Amino acid sequence: MPGVTSEASRNADYETATSFLGEWGRFQQRVFILLCLSFIPNGLTALSMVFLADTPGHRCILPVHLNLSAAWWNSSIPLEEDSSRGGALVPSKCSRYKLEHVLNYSERGLLPGVDVNLSNVPKEGCLDGWAFDQSVYTSTIVSEWNLVCGESWKKPLTSSMYFGGVLAGSFVSGQLSDRFGRKIVMFATIALQAVTTLIQIFCSSWIMFVILYFLLGLEQISNYLVAFVLGAEILGPQVRTLFSTAGICLFFAVGYMLLPLLAFFMRDWRLLQVSFMVAGCICLPLFWFIPESPRWLLSQGRIEEAEAIIRNAAKINKIEPPAVIFRTLKLYFLNICCSCYSAFLQNGGKTQEKRAHNICDLLRSPNIRWLSVTLWLVWLV
């Protein structure tokens, strides 16, 4: 088809058409810094489970109405070897001596370890719940919903559900941003992340928390990946390399470092969640300062909008833009429209369906296949 260029040549045309902006003007600096700032909340939430679901010291609760002697009250919890403390004997976290036997011995005036061999006293589980140590944490989801002993499997499952959401978000975020735009999807997921965190604060059950945590993982990776792509498409070749390596990683690490600092001052898991929500809300006003990807707009045929963004960038950089910026690309889309209209007439007035792209296109040609496999390995490592 005459006048139709390949995807690679269109990218080259874009680089050539926008080269007058330079690499590191005020526009690029603003986009670089603001996008990097949006990664800080992701660093906060990525490993938040370390503090949200930490397991405080705990032991079985004894009903306060029990008429036990002081000796039996202090000896009602069996001692067990703790391998993490070199085999030292510590109170059991998941069992107690059967209360009916303990009450009987106490009423008869028998002393534990003197009149009664404790190794012969039957044991039972923590039928009345657990008492949790609050010297480090006021509350975690473990102490909130008793995720210990027989329920301890729920703690790793919570983390798995989060990363299940991350996996799901990795598949859908690209499709959504290709359809609705990078900027819209990025800030929509940031807003959803704040809303999801807010709802989590008022969770009344572990099941509700886990479902929301799955959604949080989906939203977190979505705004991360879309912001990654947005920066790579707006910034020039040299700066985008710096952005996608040092820029993202350093600001993500800032979130990592802030996480234990916030957890140090906020010992209640709900209060810690409030700080995550606030961090996400702070990023929302960036919507008015970060532009849409001109490359994505051009791929949608929205040349005037892309040109307006580039002209605004030139104004910020105090550079006089050329009279026509995307001349070659305008001719490309004009030829596309003419060809489509010609095919429409030849087809008797029936439109031809546009071919939909999918993940298989990443393996279709040798060049893109090599790039795809390389990037998959890099991200996996």
Side-chain angles (χ1 to χ4, degrees):
M1 187 183 298
V4 176
T5 60
S6 67
E7 187 73 27
S9 61
R10 272 190 287 156
N11 286 330
D13 290 338
Y14 175 86
E15 298 287 359
T16 302
T18 59
S19 60
F20 69 91
L21 287 175
E23 284 278 338
W24 193 237
R26 290 181 61 189
F27 172 77
Q28 291 92 337
Q29 293 170 16
R30 186 177 76 178
V31 171
F32 184 99
I33 295 298
L34 295 183
L35 279 176
C36 284
L37 287 174
S38 73
F39 289 99
I40 294 178
N42 294 328
L44 280 173
T45 58
L47 290 181
S48 59
M49 188 54 57
V50 171
F51 299 100
L52 295 176
D54 199 5
T55 304
H58 54 279
R59 57 186 293 177
C60 294
I61 288 178
L62 295 177
V64 293
H65 64 271
L66 286 181
N67 186 22
L68 288 178
S69 65
W72 278 106
W73 191 274
N74 295 329
S75 302
S76 59
I77 305 298
L79 298 178
E80 297 177 348
E81 289 187 2
D82 188 347
S83 57
S84 64
R85 299 185 181 182
L89 293 176
V90 297
S92 173
K93 298 178 179 179
C94 299
S95 64
R96 67 188 184 187
Y97 292 119
K98 276 197 172 184
L99 292 187
E100 56 184 284
H101 292 268
V102 172
L103 280 169
N104 181 37
Y105 296 140
S106 178
E107 290 172 357
R108 291 164 56 188
L110 302 178
L111 295 177
V114 178
D115 303 312
V116 178
N117 185 353
L118 293 177
S119 61
N120 297 327
V121 180
K123 301 175 185 177
E124 62 185 4
C126 299
L127 304 181
D128 297 294
W130 289 263
F132 290 91
D133 177 24
Q134 294 186 329
S135 61
V136 178
Y137 298 98
T138 304
S139 174
T140 68
I141 67 168
V142 172
S143 61
E144 180 87 13
W145 294 300
N146 294 328
L147 308 184
V148 293
C149 301
E151 300 288 306
S152 60
W153 58 271
K154 292 182 178 179
K155 178 180 173 179
L157 179 60
T158 305
S159 295
S160 298
M161 290 296 289
Y162 173 82
F163 287 105
V166 170
L167 178 62
S170 300
F171 283 106
V172 303
S173 58
Q175 302 292 324
L176 292 174
S177 65
D178 284 344
R179 181 171 182 178
F180 299 107
R182 317 310 194 201
K183 180 179 176 180
I184 293 296
V185 173
M186 172 186 167
F187 284 97
T189 51
I190 289 176
L192 287 173
Q193 191 172 343
V195 172
T196 302
T197 305
L198 175 63
I199 299 173
Q200 270 191 316
I201 295 169
F202 299 99
C203 279
S204 58
S205 68
W206 173 77
I207 293 177
M208 182 180 179
F209 181 89
V210 166
I211 293 172
L212 291 171
Y213 211 48
F214 174 87
L215 294 176
L216 195 65
L218 189 152
E219 295 152 3
Q220 188 266 343
I221 195 64
S222 294
N223 68 60
Y224 178 95
L225 291 177
V226 175
F228 183 99
V229 172
L230 181 59
E233 290 183 343
I234 292 179
L235 299 171
Q238 296 180 10
V239 180
R240 86 168 61 109
T241 302
L242 181 65
F243 168 78
S244 59
T245 53
I248 291 175
C249 293
L250 288 175
F251 279 80
F252 200 83
V254 169
Y256 272 145
M257 292 186 290
L258 286 175
L259 173 61
L261 180 64
L262 291 173
F264 180 80
F265 291 104
M266 301 175 186
R267 305 299 181 96
D268 184 279
W269 73 269
R270 296 180 191 271
L271 189 59
L272 188 58
Q273 289 281 79
V274 171
S275 67
F276 299 157
M277 182 196 67
V278 171
C281 291
I282 290 175
C283 290
L284 289 177
L286 300 181
F287 180 88
W288 285 274
F289 301 97
I290 297 176
E292 178 58 272
S293 166
R295 290 177 185 267
W296 179 80
L297 291 170
L298 291 173
S299 72
Q300 304 299 305
R302 295 158 62 176
I303 300 177
E304 290 77 12
E305 294 177 56
E307 188 169 317
I309 291 174
I310 299 302
R311 290 190 181 280
N312 182 58
K315 181 180 178 181
I316 295 172
N317 286 354
K318 298 181 179 180
I319 296 173
E320 185 65 30
V324 180
I325 297 178
F326 298 117
R327 183 189 303 274
T328 305
L329 291 171
K330 285 181 178 179
L331 291 174
Y332 166 75
F333 282 105
L334 179 62
N335 285 329
I336 286 288
C337 292
C338 292
S339 300
C340 290
Y341 183 67
S342 175
F344 175 77
L345 294 177
Q346 293 175 6
N347 204 29
K350 296 180 180 179
T351 58
Q352 292 180 324
E353 291 186 4
K354 185 179 178 181
R355 177 180 173 272
H357 293 280
N358 54 52
I359 194 172
C360 295
D361 291 307
L362 296 177
L363 301 171
R364 199 170 299 279
S365 65
N367 185 46
I368 193 66
R369 183 164 55 245
W370 169 249
L371 288 173
S372 297
V373 172
T374 302
L375 285 173
W376 290 340
L377 289 174
V378 168
W379 277 78
L380 180 63
V381 171

